[in-house]
Amino acid sequence: MALNMAKNYWMFVETEENASITRGMNYELFGMGPRYKKRAQRMKPKDRVIFYVSQSKVWTASGTITSECFKDDSNTWQSETKRNEYIYRVNIEPNYVLKPEQYLDGTLIGPSLDYVKKWYPDHWHLAFWERLHLIPQTDFSRLEGEMIRLCSPINEISP
């Protein structure tokens, strides 16, 4: 199964506005700013990703990276600091996409994740302040497992 083939498990953190844009593109592309260039360059095909929306504290989708990182300065997402900020990009194959009423509630799941153990339970969400995180496979599997329970796959994950 491809889950075991992934080298890295990433969490992409988005604003409400950018999450809407990414959803409109069917979760097939994600961009990162120069601050995350080195991490973006570590991303490889078959790495797994999960999408998190910071303001509403929800997980919305999971996918598999299908490309190496590439540079594209077309204006796609809304930048918080400058135009065309999200220039380091990867292509993604969405695996599980939840409907808004199915989004995973971070207030219920977040405090129990291994990745947030350094933070006080009431402040677990501070662990996801930045836009890009490398998370433990156990946390990824737990979150995606909940997604699998809630919906059928868009594309079966192949080896």
Side-chain angles (χ1 to χ4, degrees):
M1 185 174 205
L3 281 178
N4 297 329
M5 302 282 298
K7 294 180 180 158
N8 293 306
Y9 298 87
W10 301 95
M11 182 178 304
F12 295 158
V13 179
E14 297 185 284
T15 63
E16 296 285 344
E17 298 79 17
N18 285 339
S20 179
I21 293 167
T22 301
R23 185 176 189 83
M25 294 186 296
N26 299 316
Y27 295 95
E28 294 178 352
L29 182 69
F30 189 76
M32 295 144 279
R35 176 180 183 174
Y36 303 106
K37 178 181 177 182
K38 287 185 182 183
R39 281 185 254 178
Q41 290 173 333
R42 283 185 58 191
M43 294 178 186
K44 302 292 178 206
K46 298 193 188 223
D47 280 2
R48 302 299 314 285
V49 300
I50 199 150
F51 292 84
Y52 177 76
V53 183
S54 56
Q55 292 99 325
S56 54
K57 297 181 180 85
V58 294
W59 285 276
T60 62
S62 71
T64 303
I65 293 175
T66 61
S67 71
E68 300 280 334
C69 174
F70 60 93
K71 196 171 179 180
D72 180 349
D73 64 357
S74 60
N75 197 18
T76 305
W77 294 274
Q78 292 185 10
S79 175
E80 294 177 356
T81 57
K82 60 184 176 184
R83 192 174 185 284
N84 297 344
E85 178 181 7
Y86 302 104
I87 60 174
Y88 297 101
R89 300 180 181 186
V90 290
N91 291 317
I92 300 166
E93 178 181 334
N95 296 119
Y96 298 94
V97 176
L98 300 177
K99 296 173 186 162
E101 64 272 12
Q102 296 174 312
Y103 289 169
L104 301 182
D105 185 345
T107 60
L108 300 176
I109 301 170
S112 65
L113 297 175
D114 290 338
Y115 188 76
V116 304
K117 294 294 183 203
K118 306 185 241 190
W119 284 265
Y120 290 109
D122 291 346
H123 300 290
W124 66 270
H125 59 277
L126 296 177
F128 305 133
W129 185 259
E130 290 189 332
R131 298 286 175 218
L132 178 62
H133 301 269
L134 194 56
I135 63 170
Q137 179 181 0
T138 54
D139 286 350
F140 181 91
S141 296
R142 178 159 183 226
L143 292 166
E144 189 177 59
E146 286 296 311
M147 290 179 179
I148 291 167
R149 190 177 64 75
L150 292 169
C151 70
S152 57
I154 290 175
N155 298 305
E156 288 298 327
I157 302 169
S158 57

